[in-house]
């Protein structure tokens, strides 16, 4: 028997345009040049989560914030 565990974090920031929602998980993509960083955090997170059989995604509305989420499978013995 397996169940997926669901994790998420929400913010009330600037949100993402629809065309940027998938790009944000690519390596070295920075959608805001005023923010520090190299654009690797979400790409690394995606890689790890997929290796464990999970999923990752984002729900967002421009000007209203975002919800980043991921699932990880849980297998009971």
């Amino acid at each position: 028997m397996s169940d997926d565990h669901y994790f998420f974090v929400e913010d009330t920031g600037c949100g993402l345009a629809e065309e940027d929602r998938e790009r944000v998980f690519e390596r070295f993509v920075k959608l805001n040049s005023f923010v520090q960083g190299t654009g690797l955090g979400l790409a690394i997170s995606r890689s790890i989560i997929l290796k464990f059989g999970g999923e990752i995604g984002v729900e967002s509305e421009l000007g209203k914030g975002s919800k980043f989420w991921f699932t990880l499978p849980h297998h009971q013995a």
Side-chain angles (χ1 to χ4, degrees):
M1 178 179 210
S2 82
D3 294 307
D4 285 347
H5 290 282
Y6 177 80
F7 303 88
F8 69 94
V9 62
E10 290 181 283
D11 68 49
T12 57
C14 61
L16 298 169
E18 187 173 345
E19 61 270 12
D20 293 331
R21 290 182 199 152
E22 286 302 315
R23 288 187 52 229
V24 76
F25 295 103
E26 296 173 7
R27 292 175 183 228
F28 303 111
V29 169
K30 289 180 66 173
L31 302 175
N32 183 342
S33 61
F34 298 106
V35 177
Q36 291 184 350
T38 59
L40 283 174
L42 287 172
I44 292 169
S45 297
R46 182 179 183 268
S47 178
I48 293 168
I49 290 165
L50 293 178
K51 280 190 186 273
F52 281 104
E55 295 181 59
I56 188 170
V58 61
E59 300 166 18
S60 186
E61 189 173 340
L62 201 53
K64 294 191 177 183
S66 303
K67 177 198 271 186
F68 288 88
W69 58 267
F70 69 94
T71 62
L72 288 175
H74 173 72
H75 303 281
Q76 293 182 344

